[in-house]
Amino acid sequence: MDLRPLQPSLIPSPQSVYVMVFYFVYLAVAGETLPGKVIRGVVLSDGSQLRYRCNGLLALTLLVAILGISAKLGVLSPLVVADRGLELLSATFIFCVLVTLVLNITGRTSSDKSSSLKSHVSGNLVHDWWFGIQLNPQFMSIDLKFFFVRAGMMGWLLINLSILAKCVQDGSLSQSMILYQIFCALYILDYFVHEEYMTSTWDIIAERLGFMLVFGDLLWIPFTFSIQGWWLLHNKVELSVPAIVANCFVFLIG
């Protein structure tokens, strides 16, 4: 397979960087300003508890509404993600590397003794890069672990919606694509309806924030969980009624 035609798309364009920056700025502002249930995290070893504002569902709903209105007014193309998928992937990867680098430097130079920000340097550069140095690093009072996993889950849905818009425009919408979109949307909405339970997961309470979690949240979740959608975009698959029923049954029983 000749991958040379794809090489230009692996270089982030200014437009892909603008999209990524807008996305993260919106999430940061929405996460801090929109109303939502404030949940206390688990008690850490020093007796402290972090507070998490669980307004992800409202933030997601508002974002989809803003993007929908912008697309209707011709301000923003709903195909911006579908048309720039590889550019956004490479831009996100570079962002993950830069974020991890900053986390690594700030973690090593931190003198904070709290459970959240205490430096855990193993002496192994690869280990510290991959698994992280601090438990709950923050940026402008934003808990980065909670923020990144939220960004990944919302990004997954936005990629899917852009793929769906591309299918509709191309006239290639299939039953398989419709089922895929419904199943993913229900899964993502369920996550945000029960977002408060994320605050007690192992990722949040025990794992330090290194490249593993940064990459996993920001790139692995949205870009690999949507692989089926990308494939169906270029491969129209029609299902029989029994196949549709079987797919729905499997989804419902988990």
Side-chain angles (χ1 to χ4, degrees), residues 130-169:
W130 184 256
F131 291 107
I133 294 176
Q134 293 177 307
L135 181 63
N136 295 301
Q138 298 182 351
F139 176 73
M140 298 177 65
S141 77
I142 298 173
D143 183 83
L144 292 180
K145 278 201 290 190
F146 194 66
F147 177 82
F148 287 160
V149 71
R150 173 183 285 184
M153 293 298 291
M154 287 191 190
W156 178 17
L157 180 63
L158 296 180
I159 290 174
N160 282 349
L161 292 178
S162 187
I163 291 173
L164 177 62
K166 183 74 170 179
C167 276
V168 172
Q169 183 190 70

Side-chain angles (χ1 to χ4, degrees), residues 44-46 48 100 103-137 145 204-211:
L44 302 176
S45 58
D46 62 355
S48 63
T100 307
L103 290 173
N104 202 274
I105 293 172
T106 55
R108 288 178 182 279
T109 57
S110 174
S111 59
D112 198 304
K113 299 302 180 182
S114 66
S115 295
S116 290
L117 300 177
K118 183 178 179 180
S119 179
H120 297 272
V121 179
S122 69
N124 185 315
L125 292 176
V126 175
H127 180 279
D128 293 341
W129 174 269
W130 184 256
F131 291 107
I133 294 176
Q134 293 177 307
L135 181 63
N136 295 301
K145 278 201 290 190
I204 297 293
I205 67 177
E207 292 186 332
R208 296 187 290 274
L209 185 59
F211 186 73

Side-chain angles (χ1 to χ4, degrees), residues 22 26 61-80:
F22 166 80
Y26 168 82
T61 303
L62 180 60
L63 178 58
V64 172
I66 291 173
L67 295 177
I69 294 172
S70 299
K72 187 70 174 179
L73 296 176
V75 177
L76 179 69
S77 170
L79 310 180
V80 64

Side-chain angles (χ1 to χ4, degrees), residues 39-88:
I39 301 296
R40 287 179 176 269
V42 298
V43 179
L44 302 176
S45 58
D46 62 355
S48 63
Q49 285 181 286
L50 297 179
R51 289 177 172 82
Y52 302 94
R53 186 180 299 276
C54 297
N55 55 8
L57 183 60
L58 178 58
L60 176 60
T61 303
L62 180 60
L63 178 58
V64 172
I66 291 173
L67 295 177
I69 294 172
S70 299
K72 187 70 174 179
L73 296 176
V75 177
L76 179 69
S77 170
L79 310 180
V80 64
V81 176
D83 289 340
R84 300 183 182 276
L86 285 178
E87 293 179 17
L88 287 168

